[in-house]
Amino acid sequence: MDTPRKLNLRFSWEAMLCVVLVMSLGLGRGLSGEFLGAANMSNLLADFTEIALMALPMTLIIVAAEIDLSVASVMGMSSALMGVLWHMGLPMPLVVVLVLAAGVLAGLFNGLVIVRLGLPSLAITIGTLAMFRGFSYLLLGDQAIADFPANWTTFGISTVGDSFLPQPFILVILAAIGFTVLLQSTAFGRSLYAIGSNQTAAHFSGVDVARTKIKLFVLSGFMSALAGIIYTLRFSSARGDNGEGFELSVVAAVLFGGVSIFGGKGSLVGVLLSLLIIGVLKNALTLYDVSSEVLTIVTGLLLLSSVLVPNIAERLRAARIKRVMAAKAVAAR
């Protein structure tokens, strides 16, 4: 569980993220005069909509000391399934329901295998990452389906009124509010911190660890399928490789947001700030014609720093406390 000292550390990390966000905005403005324009801001928000939808449940999973590396593959499988079902002649509302149900089943499969077999989520979801991606190619191969109805694809590319806010981003705002309340203000959220801090202690204090973990992976599958639907409508294209590699950005956003890879610590406020920073940096560098390979390196550096910086800070703090204690011991002699 979080102690007051740990809460202070987390606040410092979030304050640091605010500073980095302001610096990133300044960098973007310096690299391109178009950066702060309404059209570019709309593109910026649209581009990390799917990442944000998958990062929200991933935050809860990592707080509970687990991980789901199959999110991007579930997203791709959902996109491919959406195209196939639409081509079969099913109405779009039914297609959406069936795709979301498939995402739930994928998450349930992950959760059941991890909990019932007692295996690490890292190993299991690496396996299902490949399996779900394989299903995507099995459904569509290297083909693409792009003839979705205009009234649905319009939702994927339109803004709210005359503002720069993309319509799909409304889902991110609503989901962010819901997940923040769930994690920070409910017994379920507190049970995740307890599981992440000490799973055995959480079990003996009355938390149903197995059922809680299954719920987390089901939630992750649902949100990944939703991300697949939004991505397909935004680009009006269902493909088996949609979202390929997105899992790196999702994990990077969560860890850079201050969520401990060891579980038991983190907040969605930090993750939302992290998402904005990554979105701003990618957008700014893209406007500056930086290659996708360099963008991947930047994402990797953020991921690396999110693990190293808190670890170094914690060691420095421990060393400082040790020095103070030693000084007090000498003074007491």
Side-chain angles (χ1 to χ4, degrees):
M1 294 289 286
D2 279 340
T3 64
R5 181 174 294 168
K6 289 182 177 179
L7 286 172
N8 288 335
L9 181 65
R10 189 172 70 201
F11 174 77
S12 300
W13 183 262
E14 290 163 351
M16 185 276 291
L17 290 178
C18 288
V19 173
V20 174
L21 178 59
V22 172
M23 292 171 64
S24 302
L25 289 169
L27 175 68
R29 179 65 182 85
L31 291 177
S32 172
E34 302 173 12
F35 177 74
L36 292 179
N40 188 57
M41 284 292 108
S42 184
N43 288 334
L44 189 157
L45 294 177
D47 279 346
F48 78 87
T49 294
E50 295 84 11
I51 300 292
L53 289 174
M54 291 186 286
L56 293 171
M58 183 70 86
T59 302
L60 274 58
I61 288 174
I62 295 181
V63 164
E66 298 289 351
I67 196 165
D68 183 359
L69 294 179
S70 69
V71 287
S73 294
V74 174
M75 175 187 162
M77 183 180 69
S78 301
S79 176
L81 181 62
M82 186 176 174
V84 169
L85 293 175
W86 170 245
H87 250 213
M88 289 171 61
L90 298 180
M92 277 302 286
L94 180 58
V95 169
V96 169
V97 170
L98 290 176
V99 169
L100 291 174
V104 167
L105 289 176
L108 181 63
F109 179 81
N110 276 336
L112 286 175
V113 173
I114 291 165
V115 168
R116 300 304 179 200
L117 299 183
L119 297 172
S121 55
L122 177 67
I124 295 301
T125 55
I126 284 177
T128 54
L129 176 156
M131 186 178 77
F132 294 142
R133 185 61 67 183
F135 284 146
S136 305
Y137 289 116
L138 196 63
L139 287 168
L140 278 185
D142 57 356
Q143 304 297 310
I145 293 177
D147 59 345
F148 294 100
N151 57 327
W152 284 80
T153 55
T154 299
F155 168 76
I157 59 175
S158 297
T159 59
V160 179
D162 294 328
S163 71
F164 65 84
L165 195 66
Q167 286 190 6
F169 199 75
I170 297 296
L171 294 175
V172 174
I173 295 173
L174 295 175
I177 294 171
F179 274 88
T180 301
V181 171
L182 182 65
L183 180 62
Q184 311 293 157
S185 307
T186 67
F188 181 78
R190 289 190 289 276
S191 71
L192 300 184
Y193 287 107
I195 292 171
S197 298
N198 189 322
Q199 183 171 305
T200 305
H203 170 72
F204 283 110
S205 65
V207 176
D208 190 333
V209 176
R211 182 170 294 183
T212 301
K213 288 186 178 180
I214 291 174
K215 286 179 181 176
L216 289 177
F217 283 98
V218 167
L219 197 55
S220 179
F222 176 85
M223 295 300 288
S224 299
L226 180 61
I229 292 169
I230 298 298
Y231 191 90
T232 304
L233 294 177
R234 192 156 67 90
F235 292 98
S236 190
S237 176
R239 295 178 57 93
D241 62 353
N242 277 352
E244 206 163 53
F246 277 22
E247 62 276 349
L248 176 62
S249 297
V250 172
V251 174
V254 175
L255 297 186
F256 191 59
V259 180
S260 171
I261 189 66
F262 303 109
K265 177 191 166 192
S267 75
L268 274 164
V269 174
V271 174
L272 293 171
L273 287 169
S274 168
L275 283 165
L276 283 171
I277 291 168
I278 293 174
V280 166
L281 286 176
K282 282 192 171 182
N283 181 272
L285 294 176
T286 301
L287 285 176
Y288 200 61
D289 288 332
V290 172
S291 68
S292 59
E293 290 80 7
V294 174
L295 293 178
T296 303
I297 292 173
V298 171
T299 302
L301 287 173
L302 289 176
L303 184 57
L304 193 60
S305 64
S306 64
V307 176
L308 290 180
V309 173
N311 188 275
I312 293 171
E314 185 64 25
R315 290 189 180 194
L316 291 174
R317 188 181 67 82
R320 189 177 69 250
I321 292 174
K322 189 176 179 181
R323 285 197 302 273
V324 171
M325 295 295 290
K328 286 183 177 178
V330 170
R333 290 175 185 171

